[in-house]
Amino acid sequence: MLLTIFRILNLVLLGNGLYKSLSTKLPPHLVKSGHFQFLTNCSLLTTLIYLFFATFGFQPNWLYNLSSNLEFNVIFSYWTMALVFPKMVAEGEVDRDLFMDLQVHAFPYLYLIIDSQPSLSIMKSWVLTCLYVFIYWVYFESECGKHVPDGVSGYPYPFLKGKGMVERFGCMAIFAFIACMNWFVLNLRNQLF
């Protein structure tokens, strides 16, 4: 019963975070590609789908592991860049809301690490994660790429400005690698607890 209440509270908290993120006005160079050009929003939606199923007693282990890996990348990459290299994450015209930042960039992973589930094999975990990030990259390239020629639109992260497709793929590969490292975190957590 307590676990169900915990999941419902997180469903509300994280759902509100996604709602606020999707309601945020995008700067002119990002408007045409929409809110799902951000890996953070895609990861959070995946986590919310898992959380919805888990709340009602259906806990697909593969979806838990995928969500956890993606959110590990989000919490690690976002906060590293935001705290150490802030110009890599957002440009000056973006208003920052710390609580919303926590709702979309920290609380999802904290929920997943607490709501402990068994981990997949390293091969299944890594293939699933890399496949998701690859599909995201294809979507990202097609959605953003079709708007770039208008002279206003661009890519969602400042560190992607001026990079070619291969370099952007390399950035996504780094995100996939970071996400895959969560397999070790999950296994360590499962051994300790």
Side-chain angles (χ1 to χ4, degrees):
M1 183 66 177
L2 286 177
L3 183 56
T4 302
I5 292 169
F6 176 66
R7 286 178 173 157
I8 290 171
L9 291 174
N10 276 282
L11 194 56
V12 170
L13 177 70
L14 302 182
N16 179 261
L18 183 61
Y19 173 77
K20 288 194 313 193
S21 181
L22 297 179
S23 300
T24 301
K25 184 178 178 188
L26 294 173
H29 69 285
L30 301 178
V31 169
K32 288 185 180 177
S33 296
H35 289 87
F36 286 103
Q37 66 187 299
F38 297 98
L39 185 56
T40 297
N41 289 337
C42 296
S43 299
L44 183 52
L45 179 60
T46 304
T47 299
L48 283 166
I49 291 169
Y50 165 76
L51 184 51
F52 177 80
F53 284 131
T55 300
F56 294 101
F58 179 63
Q59 298 167 232
N61 196 30
W62 67 270
L63 189 53
Y64 170 81
N65 279 260
L66 174 61
S67 298
S68 183
N69 289 355
L70 295 171
E71 294 297 354
F72 178 77
N73 170 62
V74 169
I75 197 170
F76 181 85
S77 298
Y78 176 80
W79 289 107
T80 299
M81 287 188 284
L83 296 173
V84 181
F85 309 105
K87 293 201 185 299
M88 290 180 73
V89 176
E91 297 170 75
E93 75 263 11
V94 176
D95 289 330
R96 305 296 281 264
D97 176 344
L98 180 60
F99 188 68
M100 189 181 88
D101 262 358
L102 292 170
Q103 282 181 295
V104 299
H105 297 113
F107 294 161
Y109 187 71
L110 296 176
Y111 158 74
L112 290 163
I113 206 74
I114 291 168
D115 190 6
S116 180
Q117 301 295 324
S119 61
L120 298 174
S121 70
I122 192 169
M123 182 62 75
K124 286 180 185 174
S125 178
W126 287 17
V127 166
L128 192 59
T129 301
C130 290
L131 181 62
Y132 185 103
V133 174
F134 178 75
I135 291 169
Y136 164 76
W137 174 75
V138 169
Y139 168 77
F140 165 85
E141 283 295 330
S142 65
E143 190 58 36
C144 295
K146 72 183 176 189
H147 299 298
V148 167
D150 70 10
V152 175
S153 299
Y155 290 91
Y157 304 107
F159 65 87
L160 294 176
K161 281 188 174 181
K163 296 209 178 339
M165 186 184 295
V166 173
E167 293 170 300
R168 289 189 300 273
F169 178 79
C171 292
M172 293 305 127
I174 291 169
F175 284 158
F177 174 78
I178 292 168
C180 288
M181 293 300 99
N182 186 57
W183 184 86
F184 297 105
V185 175
L186 291 181
N187 280 280
L188 180 62
R189 180 214 50 206
N190 291 346
Q191 288 175 4
L192 295 175
F193 303 102

